[in-house]
C-alpha cells in the first residue's frame, strides 16, 4: 500500500479526476492588498479543479478583509506576528490536517517557508531555494519569470503552483466583492448624476514614496480632466486626506474628495467610476477585478510593469521615457493623453453596445 507523502499526493491528484474526493487546501498569502487580489484567480482555479475542496487562506492582519464576501474562499486564517498569537495559529492550522499547502510566491521567504513547515501539510508547493528542498513540488523563480518575453504577470506566477501539480488551467481574472454598506457610504459622499455622466477617479494614495506622483501634477491633471468628464473624484487613504482636499480645492466645483477608511470603501468607490487613474498600487488591481478602465502610472522598470499591469479590457500603462527616471518625472500631458484615449475607447465601446 502507498503511504505517507506519496499517498497524500495521490489523493490530491485523484480529486482532479472529478471523483470529488475531499481535499483541504491552505494558500499562504501574507503580502499586501495587491498581492492578495492577484492571488484570487488561484482560489478560483482551485475551486474549479478540486470541486469539493475546502480552500483556506492564511492572510495578514492588514489584508484579510479584502477576502470578505468571496465564495471561492471557505475560511480565512489571520496571521498575527506576536509569539503567543503565532503559537496558537500554528496549533489551529495543524489541527486542520491540510492535504495540500500552496505558497505561490516566486521568491525566497524564510517566514513563509517556516510557516509552511510548521503547518505540516502532507503535500506542499512553493519556491525551493538553497540546497534544501523546502516544498514537495517547486515552482519557477522570479528571475525565471522576469526573463520571459514578455515577463510573466503576477496572476500567472501565482497559477504556477497549479502547473507544478500537473494541471493546465485557464487564466482567471481577479475578483473582489462590493460591500453594500461601504457602497451606501460612498453614495452619500459622491451622489449619482441624473444623466449618468462620466466620472473619473484619481487615486493618489500608494504604499511606497517612490511610487507617488506629485500633488501639483494631480491638481493640473484634474483641471484638464474636468473638460472631459462631469466629475472627478480624488480617492485617498486617511494619511493622504489633507492632500486630497488640497487637490479638490484647486480643481474646482466638479471635484470631490473621498477618504476611504477601509478597503471596502475603496472597492465601492472604484466600482462606481468610469475610469481610474492611479499609480502602481492595489486600486489598479481592484479596477481590473471590476473591469473598470484604467490608466496605470508605473515606474520605468520593465518587469515590474509587466508583472503588475492592469488587466481591465480597456487600459493604458504610462511610464517615464528615460529608464532611469522616476514616476514623479512623468509629464502631466502624458497621463492626460492616455486618459483621453481610454475615455475615447470607452465611449466607442458603449456606442457599439458593449
Amino acid at each position: 500500500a502507498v503511504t505517507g507523502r506519496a499517498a497524500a499526493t495521490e489523493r490530491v491528484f485523484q480529486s482532479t479526476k472529478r471523483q470529488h474526493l475531499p481535499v483541504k487546501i491552505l494558500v499562504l498569502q501574507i503580502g499586501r492588498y495587491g498581492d492578495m487580489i492577484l492571488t484570487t484567480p488561484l482560489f478560483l482555479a482551485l475551486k474549479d479543479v478540486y470541486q469539493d475542496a475546502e480552500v483556506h487562506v492564511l492572510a495578514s492582519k492588514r489584508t484579510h478583509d479584502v477576502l470578505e464576501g468571496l465564495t471561492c474562499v471557505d475560511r480565512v486564517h489571520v496571521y498575527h506576528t506576536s509569539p503567543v498569537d503565532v503559537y496558537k495559529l500554528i496549533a489551529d492550522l495543524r489541527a486542520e490536517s491540510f492535504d495540500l499547502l500552496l505558497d505561490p510566491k516566486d521568491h525566497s521567504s524564510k517566514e513563509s517557508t517556516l510557516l509552511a513547515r510548521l503547518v505540516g501539510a502532507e503535500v506542499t508547493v512553493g519556491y525551493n531555494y538553497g540546497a534544501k528542498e523546502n516544498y514537495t513540488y517547486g515552482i519557477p523563480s522570479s528571475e525565471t519569470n522576469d526573463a520571459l518575453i514578455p515577463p510573466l504577470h503576477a496572476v500567472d506566477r501565482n497559477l504556477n503552483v497549479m502547473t507544478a501539480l500537473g494541471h493546465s488551467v485557464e487564466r482567471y481574472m481577479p475578483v473582489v466583492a462590493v460591500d453594500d454598506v461601504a457602497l451606501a457610504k460612498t453614495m452619500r459622499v459622491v451622489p449619482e448624476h441624473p444623466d449618468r455622466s462620466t466620472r473619473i477617479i484619481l487615486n493618489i494614495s500608494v504604499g511606497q514614496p517612490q511610487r507617488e506622483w506629485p500633488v501639483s501634477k494631480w491638481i493640473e491633471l484634474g483641471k484638464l480632466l474636468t473638460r472631459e468628464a462631469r466629475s472627478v473624484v480624488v480617492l485617498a487613504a486617511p494619511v493622504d486626506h489633507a492632500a486630497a482636499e488640497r487637490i479638490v480645492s484647486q480643481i474646482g466645483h466638479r471635484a470631490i474628495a473621498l477618504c476611504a477608511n477601509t478597503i471596502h470603501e475603496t472597492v465601492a468607490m472604484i466600482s462606481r467610476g468610469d475610469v481610474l487613474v492611479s499609480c502602481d498600487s492595489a486600486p489598479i488591481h481592484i479596477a481590473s477585478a471590476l473591469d473598470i478602465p484604467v490608466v496605470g502610472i508605473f515606474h520605468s522598470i520593465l518587469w515590474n510593469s509587466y508583472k503588475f499591469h492592469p488587466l481591465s479590457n480597456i487600459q493604458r500603462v504610462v511610464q517615464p521615457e528615460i529608464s532611469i527616471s522616476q514616476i514623479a518625472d512623468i509629464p502631466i500631458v502624458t497621463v492626460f493623453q492616455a486618459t483621453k484615449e481610454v475615455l475615447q475607447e470607452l465611449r466607442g465601446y458603449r456606442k457599439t453596445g458593449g
Side-chain angles (χ1 to χ4, degrees):
V2 180
T3 60
R5 177 173 289 179
T9 304
E10 179 65 19
R11 185 162 61 254
V12 170
F13 285 158
Q14 286 297 324
S15 177
T16 71
K17 298 177 181 178
R18 308 301 185 189
Q19 294 182 12
H20 305 292
L21 300 176
V23 175
K24 190 175 286 189
I25 302 169
L26 177 66
V27 180
L28 301 185
Q29 182 47 269
I30 55 176
R32 298 172 179 269
Y33 275 122
D35 299 320
M36 182 62 81
I37 294 166
L38 294 176
T39 309
T40 57
L42 172 59
F43 308 148
L44 293 168
L46 289 169
K47 281 295 189 181
D48 185 32
V49 173
Y50 305 106
Q51 292 188 339
D52 292 335
E54 282 186 27
V55 175
H56 296 229
V57 179
L58 178 58
S60 70
K61 178 182 178 181
R62 179 184 176 189
T63 65
H64 72 278
D65 49 351
V66 78
L67 297 178
E68 292 175 5
L70 297 186
T71 59
C72 55
V73 174
D74 294 292
R75 185 176 174 189
V76 178
H77 305 267
V78 182
Y79 177 47
H80 299 268
T81 55
S82 72
V84 173
D85 289 330
V86 170
Y87 181 83
K88 184 179 184 304
L89 172 69
I90 295 301
D92 291 343
L93 292 176
R94 290 183 69 87
E96 293 284 351
S97 299
F98 289 106
D99 300 293
L100 179 61
L101 180 145
L102 306 177
D103 180 4
K105 287 188 299 301
D106 60 359
H107 56 275
S108 62
S109 169
K110 292 182 179 179
E111 186 177 31
S112 291
T113 302
L114 178 60
L115 287 169
R117 186 180 302 122
L118 292 174
V119 167
E122 293 190 79
V123 177
T124 60
V125 183
Y127 172 57
N128 285 319
Y129 62 96
K132 186 176 181 180
E133 291 190 356
N134 298 296
Y135 297 90
T136 312
Y137 299 100
I139 59 175
S141 68
S142 57
E143 290 80 10
T144 300
N145 292 325
D146 294 344
L148 295 175
I149 302 176
L152 210 60
H153 194 278
V155 164
D156 302 304
R157 297 179 193 225
N158 291 330
L159 288 171
N160 272 338
V161 295
M162 301 299 292
T163 305
L165 287 168
H167 307 300
S168 177
V169 298
E170 63 181 273
R171 178 199 262 187
Y172 292 80
M173 292 294 291
V175 290
V176 292
V178 180
D179 179 78
D180 290 339
V181 174
L183 185 63
K185 179 180 176 181
T186 67
M187 295 185 74
R188 288 194 296 270
V189 179
V190 185
E192 289 294 341
H193 298 302
D195 58 356
R196 299 289 300 171
S197 52
T198 305
R199 172 182 289 128
I200 299 175
I201 299 175
L202 307 181
N203 170 60
I204 67 168
S205 293
V206 292
Q208 299 170 328
Q210 63 268 31
R211 296 183 183 182
E212 293 178 353
W213 206 45
V215 167
S216 59
K217 291 188 174 182
W218 283 118
I219 291 170
E220 294 307 312
L221 176 67
K223 289 178 179 178
L224 291 170
L225 290 176
T226 56
R227 306 172 189 173
E228 306 293 328
R230 172 73 177 271
S231 70
V232 173
V233 177
V234 180
L235 180 63
V239 68
D240 296 316
H241 190 204
E245 293 288 358
R246 177 186 164 198
I247 292 168
V248 165
S249 68
Q250 295 295 312
I251 294 175
H253 71 279
R254 288 194 177 184
I256 299 174
L258 188 138
C259 179
N261 294 300
T262 67
I263 190 66
H264 300 299
E265 291 172 12
T266 300
V267 171
M269 189 64 249
I270 292 174
S271 74
R272 298 179 55 222
D274 295 287
V275 175
L276 172 74
V277 182
S278 174
C279 295
D280 179 15
S281 57
I284 285 179
H285 310 309
I286 293 170
S288 294
L290 299 168
D291 199 20
I292 301 296
V294 176
V295 176
I297 306 173
F298 279 76
H299 195 277
S300 58
I301 300 172
L302 183 63
W303 67 261
N304 181 75
S305 60
Y306 273 101
K307 182 177 181 180
F308 297 112
H309 72 77
L311 296 175
S312 301
N313 283 318
I314 302 175
Q315 48 88 9
R316 297 289 188 281
V317 169
V318 177
Q319 294 177 274
E321 293 182 0
I322 303 173
S323 61
I324 59 172
S325 298
Q326 304 296 313
I327 283 178
D329 298 322
I330 297 175
I332 299 164
V333 66
T334 303
V335 181
F336 176 58
Q337 185 59 41
T339 309
K340 284 184 65 176
E341 291 175 5
V342 166
L343 282 168
Q344 184 176 10
E345 188 173 344
L346 175 62
R347 288 161 183 161
Y349 178 75
R350 287 175 173 173
K351 283 182 180 178
T352 57

